[in-house]
Each structure stands twice: as C-alpha cells, then as structure tokens.
Amino acid sequence: AVTWAANKLTLSAYGDININADLNATSTASLALNYGLGALALGNTSQITTTNAAVNLPAGTTNFTTTQGSDGAVKAFTVITSLGAEGSTTATDLQGMTGNLATNYALGSNIDATSTSTWNTASGFTPILGFTGTFDGLGHTVSGLFMDKGATANIGLIGSAGVGSKIRNVGLVGGSVTGGASTGALVGSNGT
C-alpha cells in the first residue's frame, strides 16, 4: 500500500498496470497511470486492473489521468466520491454523470446508494443513458443501488453505453434493479 498527501504519483508500465495493494491519495495528491508504453496507442491492448485493492482519491477534475501507448493522449478523469442527490446533473457525483455523458469518470471511494430506494417516487436511481466516456471504478463498489423501472428498457447503473465507452474495475454490492429489455445491474445495453 502507498499513501501520499501531496504531489503526483506516476506509475509507468511497458504493458499492463495491475494494482494489487491500496493506493491512498489525500489532500492535494494526484495520480497518473501511464501503461502500454511498449507499443503505439492504436491497437494497444494493455489494461489497468485492480485485484483485491482500490485506488482512493479525493474528488476533483485534475487529480487522475491515464495515458495508453507510447504516443497516446493524456485522458483526464473526474473523480467522484459521492452518490449525489435525486435528479443531479452536476457531472461531479454518481447520479450527476447524466450531466456530461462524454466525460471520463473514476470512483475515488466506495459509494453507498441505499437512499436511492426512496428517489423518484420509489422508482429509484435514474440510469445513465447514452454514456460514451470511460467509467473506472478503481477497485471500488456501489452498494444498495435501487431501480424499479417496470417494463422500461435500458436499465442499469449505466442504462446504455455507446460505442467506444469503457467500464472497468467496479463492483456492485446488494441492491435491486428491475426493468424491461436490456436490463442489467451495472450496464443495461452496451454498444461495445
């Protein structure tokens, strides 16, 4: 495990990055993961995985980046650490992801979503529809997520994910998700 409270920690790898112990950033600390540096970005199959570990980051828009490939572009993430409120579109919390569907998001902590059972006249969390960015859980979980959308299609934490979107390193614990066609707890309909 590594803990730091200031400056940027950069992990660089010729191939994959496998995080197998907790990384704990606090205060003004930031993290850069540069992976797959042994090949060009185009066609690069290297990955970032978390194995029985989590990357804990403070919420923010400037404290987590990734770069895939020796010539890859830096990809900035919005780190979210809270569920948000019913109907949120802030693009800075889990429910608020509906406010910017093309942004890259990362979970900086586990999120308790049990309060969603009372949202929207007891129909619960509003699915993220048309998501085209990257959603990296960084080894975290969302617990108690609730959705009861009847026969409505494309239901899940991310109700529909477009071509090119990536969803990785996230878990769901407990909760209940009900919907029509293309319903899944994590992703309802995946375009990739």
Side-chain angles (χ1 to χ4, degrees):
V2 176
T3 300
W4 73 110
N7 303 314
K8 180 188 292 184
L9 172 64
T10 301
L11 301 179
S12 298
Y14 186 83
D16 298 340
I17 291 179
N18 181 19
I19 299 168
N20 58 15
D22 288 352
L23 299 178
N24 302 297
T26 60
S27 190
T28 61
S30 61
L31 176 66
L33 300 178
N34 304 326
Y35 63 109
L37 300 178
L40 299 177
L42 184 63
N44 196 312
T45 59
S46 57
Q47 299 180 43
I48 299 168
T49 57
T50 55
T51 306
N52 300 317
V55 178
N56 300 301
L57 295 167
T61 58
T62 60
N63 56 343
F64 179 56
T65 61
T66 64
T67 304
Q68 182 182 25
S70 60
D71 65 341
V74 174
K75 184 185 285 190
F77 285 75
T78 296
V79 177
I80 56 179
T81 58
S82 66
L83 174 63
E86 176 182 336
S88 174
T89 58
T90 64
T92 60
D93 54 59
L94 192 64
Q95 183 63 84
M97 287 172 55
T98 58
N100 191 340
L101 301 170
T103 293
N104 302 308
Y105 295 98
L107 292 183
S109 65
N110 293 330
I111 294 184
D112 181 354
T114 54
S115 64
T116 57
S117 64
T118 63
W119 288 8
N120 299 309
T121 319
S123 71
F125 187 86
T126 301
I128 311 302
L129 298 171
F131 182 68
T132 58
T134 296
F135 180 71
D136 196 328
L138 295 176
H140 293 105
T141 60
V142 176
S143 60
L145 182 68
F146 179 84
M147 285 181 265
D148 185 356
K149 304 298 183 182
T152 304
N154 298 321
I155 303 300
L157 172 65
I158 297 176
S160 61
V163 173
S165 63
K166 294 180 182 177
I167 300 156
R168 62 185 180 218
N169 300 317
V170 63
L172 294 175
V173 177
S176 175
V177 177
T178 304
S182 298
T183 291
L186 182 59
V187 179
S189 173
N190 191 359
T192 56

